[in-house]
Amino acid sequence: MKICICSILIWLTVFLDVSAQDKLTVVKAKALVDVRNGQLITPAVIYCRQGKIEKVDSGPSIPADAVIIDLGAKYLLPGLVDAHSHLCHEYQYELEKIPGANIVTETAITDNATRALIGARNARDMLLAGYTTVRDLGNSGENTDVALRDAISKNWLPGPRIYAATRALSPIGGQFSKMTANARKTLVAKEYIEISGVDEARKAVREAIFNGADCIKVIVNNNQLSLNQEELTAIVQEARAANLKVAAHATNGDQPALNAINAGVNSIEHGYTLSAPVLKLMAEKGIYLVPTDRTGVPRYQQRIKRAQEAGVKIAFGSDMYYYDAQRNRGEVTVSTYHAYTQSGMSNVQVLRSATMNSGELVAGPGKIGLLEPGYLADIIAVDEDPLTKIETVEHVVFVMKEGNVISRRD
Ligand SMILES: [Zn+2]
C-alpha cells in the first residue's frame, strides 16, 4: 500500500486537534452495513461525539454547527478487528526451509527496539488497511507490544488500538523445537513464560499482568508437551480475577482444546481439526473459534464448516507474521478473508467475524465492531457493497478511529 501524503497530513492535523472531539461530527455516505442484521441502511448518517457514535440516522436534520464528512457514494463498515495479530513479530519465508531457524533467528538477532519499530511499521499499515483494533497475541519479544500499545494510545504514532498479551504462557520450551540447554536458557524467556506446575501457572499470569497485559495468551500444546488441566484452570482463575480474557493456542486434535475449554478460556486459537462434539461444547459455552486460516487447506475448511453447523461464534484472526516483499502487513492481513469464503462462509458471516464477533471477543460487549449508538466511532468506508462484493474490503478508502479521521481517498 502506498501511503499518500494527504493521509499523513490528515493524521497529523487531526491528532493535534484534540478540541475537535467535543464537536458533533456527522459522517454521511450512500449506505452503512448493518453487520448484525446483514442489511444495508441507506442513506448512512452517523453522529459522532467524544470518539463515540451518538446515533445512527437517515433523517435530514443535521445541526448547523456539526462538522460534516460527506463520503458520497461510499459504503460504511465498522473498523475491522483482528483478534490474533503479531505486530512485533516477523518471519522470513526463506528461513522456513530449516526447521526452527526463524524463531531462533528472531530471538537471537532482533533486539527489542527493532521489534518495536517493526511493530510501528505494521501498526501504521494495519490501520490504513482498515484495522482499528487488534488483539496482539505474543511473540513480541519482551513486552514490545505493550510499548507499542502505549505509544499508539498517546498518539505518538498511528496504529490500531492494541489489546496486548505480553509474553505467551507455555509448556517448557515455548514454541521452540529441539535446542541446546544453553540456548534454551537464553532464548525461550525472551518470548515465553515457561510453566511447569500450578504455582508457576499462577505466577506466570501475575507476571503478565505486572508487565501490562490486557489479555492472556496460553500455548496449550507444542510438540509433545501440553499444559495439563490443573495448570490451565489455574491460569484462567488468575486471569479472571484480574478481569482478563484468555486466548488458548490449541492444535493437534481435540484434547488440548478440551482441556482449555474445560478451564473456561474465551477463545480457541487455530483448533485446526476440532471434532463436532468439541465444537458443540464451545458453542454451548460461548467460546469463540479464531481459525487463523490463511489459505484453503481442505481439513481446516471442514472444521470451519463443522463450527458453523455447531453454531460456534467465529472471530477473524490473521495470525500474520511473515515478511512479504510485495505487500505490507495490512494488505496481507485483509486478504486472508479468502480462506473464510473458501470454507463456505457467506460475505456477511465473514464481515461479522472481522467486526462484531472479533470486537466482542477482544473488548467485551458494546464497545467495538458495530456501527451502533454507544460504540466507539471506528468507521471505515469502501467503494462497493461488501455484502455482495466482499473484495472491496481489500481497498479501504476511509478510516476513522475513535472519531479521528486517519485517512481518506476519494
Ligand atoms: Zn499466533
Side-chain angles (χ1 to χ4, degrees):
M1 178 187 286
K2 300 280 178 292
I3 297 164
C4 70
I5 296 293
C6 61
S7 297
I8 295 170
L9 284 179
I10 287 172
W11 175 71
L12 285 173
T13 313
V14 174
F15 269 61
L16 293 174
D17 184 10
V18 179
S19 64
Q21 285 276 306
D22 295 331
K23 284 192 171 174
L24 175 65
T25 301
V26 178
V27 183
K28 294 172 63 181
K30 179 179 179 181
L32 73 81
V33 183
D34 171 2
V35 177
R36 190 194 293 275
N37 297 305
Q39 61 192 21
L40 292 180
I41 295 176
T42 54
V45 185
I46 303 180
Y47 291 67
C48 310
R49 203 193 302 265
Q50 298 280 3
K52 284 188 173 180
I53 295 173
E54 224 171 54
K55 67 171 175 171
V56 177
D57 199 2
S58 290
S61 55
I62 297 172
D65 60 344
V67 176
I68 296 175
I69 299 171
D70 191 344
L71 297 173
K74 310 294 185 202
Y75 293 79
L76 305 182
L77 276 167
L80 303 173
V81 181
D82 185 349
H84 189 130
S85 73
H86 294 288
L87 298 183
C88 304
H89 181 32
E90 187 166 90
Y91 276 5
Q92 313 296 327
Y93 282 115
E94 57 266 34
L95 286 179
E96 283 297 287
K97 292 171 204 146
I98 309 163
N102 250 318
I103 192 166
V104 170
T105 305
E106 184 170 60
T107 44
I109 294 177
T110 315
D111 60 21
N112 285 320
T114 308
R115 299 283 288 269
L117 291 169
I118 288 170
R121 181 201 63 201
N122 290 338
R124 176 200 64 197
D125 293 338
M126 287 288 281
L127 183 61
L128 292 176
Y131 290 92
T132 45
T133 307
V134 304
R135 186 175 63 161
D136 209 65
L137 291 182
N139 295 104
S140 307
E142 289 155 297
N143 307 324
T144 60
D145 52 349
V146 169
L148 181 63
R149 174 197 70 194
D150 292 348
I152 290 169
S153 69
K154 289 174 190 163
N155 294 331
W156 292 355
L157 47 92
R161 180 179 308 106
I162 294 177
Y163 287 75
T166 70
R167 287 177 298 162
L169 284 49
S170 75
I172 297 296
Q175 290 181 290
F176 286 79
S177 43
K178 196 172 178 353
M179 64 200 307
T180 65
N182 267 345
R184 190 193 133 214
K185 220 180 282 170
T186 324
L187 296 182
V188 176
K190 290 179 186 289
E191 212 72 352
Y192 302 93
I193 308 181
E194 294 174 292
I195 289 169
S196 191
V198 168
D199 287 347
E200 286 187 12
R202 292 193 187 282
K203 187 174 172 217
V205 176
R206 292 171 191 179
E207 202 169 323
I209 293 166
F210 178 79
N211 286 333
D214 304 298
C215 55
I216 298 297
K217 164 81 176 291
V218 55
I219 309 292
V220 178
N221 66 312
N222 186 54
N223 299 326
Q224 273 86 48
L225 289 173
S226 291
L227 296 181
N228 65 29
Q229 188 65 70
E230 291 71 32
E231 290 162 337
L232 289 164
T233 301
I235 287 167
V236 173
Q237 279 175 355
E238 287 292 325
R240 285 279 183 287
N243 215 16
L244 302 190
K245 294 188 178 189
V246 178
H249 161 115
T251 56
N252 299 355
D254 283 348
Q255 198 56 51
L258 262 177
N259 288 349
I261 291 163
N262 289 332
V265 301
N266 299 91
S267 59
I268 298 293
E269 313 295 307
H270 319 301
Y272 293 125
T273 56
L274 293 177
S275 68
V278 173
L279 290 161
K280 187 167 171 275
L281 194 58
M282 286 173 66
E284 283 165 11
K285 289 175 176 266
I287 296 173
Y288 285 82
L289 174 66
V290 183
T292 71
D293 295 7
R294 296 176 190 147
T295 52
V297 177
R299 68 179 190 282
Y300 299 179
Q301 293 175 339
Q302 289 306 317
R303 73 91 163 70
I304 284 194
K305 289 196 173 87
R306 286 195 296 276
Q308 288 210 276
E309 281 163 17
V312 176
K313 289 188 277 190
I314 294 177
F316 171 89
S318 69
D319 197 23
M320 191 51 63
Y321 50 84
Y322 282 90
Y323 174 73
D324 186 318
Q326 311 302 322
R327 297 177 300 167
N328 71 39
R329 182 67 67 90
E331 291 168 321
V332 179
T333 298
V334 79
S335 73
T336 58
Y337 77 84
H338 288 290
Y340 295 70
T341 52
Q342 286 162 8
S343 302
M345 287 173 69
S346 67
N347 290 351
V348 71
Q349 286 170 334
V350 172
L351 292 171
R352 276 184 198 132
S353 79
T355 55
M356 185 174 91
N357 290 2
S358 47
E360 183 167 295
L361 169 62
V362 170
K367 290 181 183 162
I368 55 171
L370 285 169
L371 298 179
E372 294 180 3
Y375 280 73
L376 291 180
D378 293 344
I379 304 170
I380 63 172
V382 290
D383 280 328
E384 296 175 86
D385 174 6
L387 292 173
T388 54
K389 193 168 181 199
I390 193 155
E391 294 81 0
T392 194
V393 300
E394 292 184 73
H395 308 284
V396 166
V397 295
F398 171 83
V399 178
M400 171 182 272
K401 180 186 161 198
E402 223 164 315
N404 292 315
V405 179
I406 304 297
S407 67
R408 179 172 178 176
R409 215 158 20 93
D410 289 318

